[in-house]
Amino acid sequence: MNKKEGDHWQQLINEFLHYLETARQLSSHTLSNYRRDLEKFSAYCLQKNITDPTQAHSADVRQWVAQLHRGGLAGPSLQRALSALRSFYKYRSRQGEKNNPALGIQAPKSAKKLPKALDADNMQQLLSIEGDDWLSIRDRAILELFYSSGLRLSELVDLNIQDIDLPQALITVTGKGRKTRTLPIGSFAVKAIKDWLSVREEVNPADGAVFLSKQGRRLGQRSIQLRLKKYSLQQGVNQSVHPHMLRHSFASHMLESSGDLRAVQELLGHANISTTQVYTHLDFQHLAKVYDKAHPRANRKTDKAKDL
C-alpha cells in the first residue's frame, strides 16, 4: 500500500461522513462509529491491494466480517459495521458507482442480551443522595431527571434552560435524528431541578446548559458517567450503574405498572416499537396519563412547581 492509495479511501470516507453530518444531521457519536467501521474496512481492502471501493466484492466483505467476528466483535457491532458499509456504497451509487458488495450479507447472530435495570428498591437507594452542597444538589437533579423521564445521556447533556417548563412539569429533549419530544417530569425531579436552579448561578454559567461543571461549562458525558459510578458505590447499590441503566429502569418500571408498550415507546423516543419490545421479555405483570398513573416518582398533579 502506498500513501496515495490510503489517501484516496480516506477522501471518499470523509466525503460520505460530511454528507451524513450536513444532509442527514447524524450525531457526532454515530459519525465516529461510521468512521471507525469504514476505516477498518478500507485498511482491510488496502492489505488486499483493493485500492478503490469499486474493486471490492461480496466475498471481500464476508471475509472482513469473519475476521472481525474472530477478533471478538459481537453481532450488534458487526451489524452496525455492515450498515455503515451499505450506507457508504449507497451514497457512492448516487455518485454514479453501482457496486454495493455489502448487500445481502448478514452478520453472525449473537445471543440477545436483555437490558439491565435496577429494581425499585435499588433505585430508591441510589436516588437517596444526602447533602446540601453544590455537587450533591446538582447530582440529585441529574439522577432524578434521568429516572423521571428516561433520557439518553446525550439528551441530558444537551439540555438547555429553555427546554424545561417546571410550572407544567414538562421537558423538551432532542433525540436521535434531531427529533424532539416533550416528556413529563415527576414531582421528585421537579423539586430536585428547582433546588439545582437555585444554586446553578454560583459558578457563573458560560452558556444556557442546565447542568454545569464547577468551571461553569456544560457538563460532559464522561463526567456524568463517573458521577454515576461514584454514587452506585457510595449508595451501596450492588452493581455498577451507568446512564443507560437508568433509562432501562425507567422503561421497565413504567411498562410493569402500565402495560402500555406504545406509551413507553413514545416516552423513550423509539422510532420503531420493535426496539421497545425488548422490555416485554422481562418478567412484568395515552402518554401523560400513563406516566402519571405508572411512574413511581410522579405525583405530578398534586405536586407541580409553581415557578421556575
Side-chain angles (χ1 to χ4, degrees), residues 277-295:
Q277 282 174 334
V278 66
Y279 294 104
T280 65
H281 294 286
L282 301 174
D283 186 17
F284 293 144
Q285 311 171 356
H286 217 344
L287 198 51
K289 289 182 180 178
V290 171
Y291 182 96
D292 283 332
K293 182 179 178 181
H295 196 287

Side-chain angles (χ1 to χ4, degrees), residues 85-101:
L85 200 57
R86 279 192 286 268
S87 296
F88 171 72
Y89 273 102
K90 186 176 181 180
Y91 170 77
R92 296 303 308 162
S93 72
R94 296 195 188 104
Q95 316 305 312
E97 299 174 7
K98 302 302 180 184
N99 183 38
N100 193 337

Side-chain angles (χ1 to χ4, degrees), residues 207-259:
D207 57 33
V210 173
F211 295 110
L212 306 171
S213 68
K214 285 185 175 180
Q215 291 73 40
R217 295 190 292 269
R218 187 181 298 271
L219 198 61
Q221 294 191 13
R222 183 58 179 159
S223 296
I224 293 175
Q225 290 168 334
L226 291 173
R227 297 301 288 176
L228 277 181
K229 186 175 182 179
K230 168 188 179 294
Y231 284 114
S232 64
L233 295 173
Q234 176 182 303
Q235 300 299 104
V237 179
N238 296 323
Q239 52 187 310
S240 181
V241 178
H242 53 81
H244 219 62
M245 186 181 290
L246 299 187
R247 180 170 159 88
H248 288 321
S249 301
F250 161 84
S252 301
H253 299 168
M254 285 291 296
L255 190 57
E256 181 179 5
S257 298
S258 70

Side-chain angles (χ1 to χ4, degrees), residues 134 136-142 144-145 159 161 164-170 185-202 210-211 303-308:
W134 192 87
S136 296
I137 293 172
R138 183 199 69 185
D139 292 347
R140 262 197 304 272
I142 288 174
E144 287 285 2
L145 187 55
L159 204 61
I161 293 293
I164 301 179
D165 183 350
L166 289 185
Q168 297 300 316
L170 297 173
I185 313 173
S187 62
F188 287 82
V190 167
K191 182 183 184 306
I193 294 169
K194 285 189 69 180
D195 291 343
W196 160 240
L197 293 180
S198 71
V199 300
R200 174 181 172 275
E201 300 296 318
E202 293 179 8
V210 173
F211 295 110
D303 243 339
K304 283 187 179 179
K306 291 185 170 58
D307 54 63
L308 268 172

Side-chain angles (χ1 to χ4, degrees), residues 28-57:
S28 59
H29 177 70
T30 300
L31 292 173
S32 176
N33 285 337
Y34 269 50
R35 178 179 294 280
R36 182 166 58 250
D37 292 332
L38 292 173
E39 287 180 348
K40 283 181 181 178
F41 181 69
S42 67
Y44 173 82
C45 286
L46 289 168
Q47 287 177 352
K48 298 186 65 175
N49 294 319
I50 299 172
T51 59
D52 188 89
T54 57
Q55 299 171 355
H57 299 286

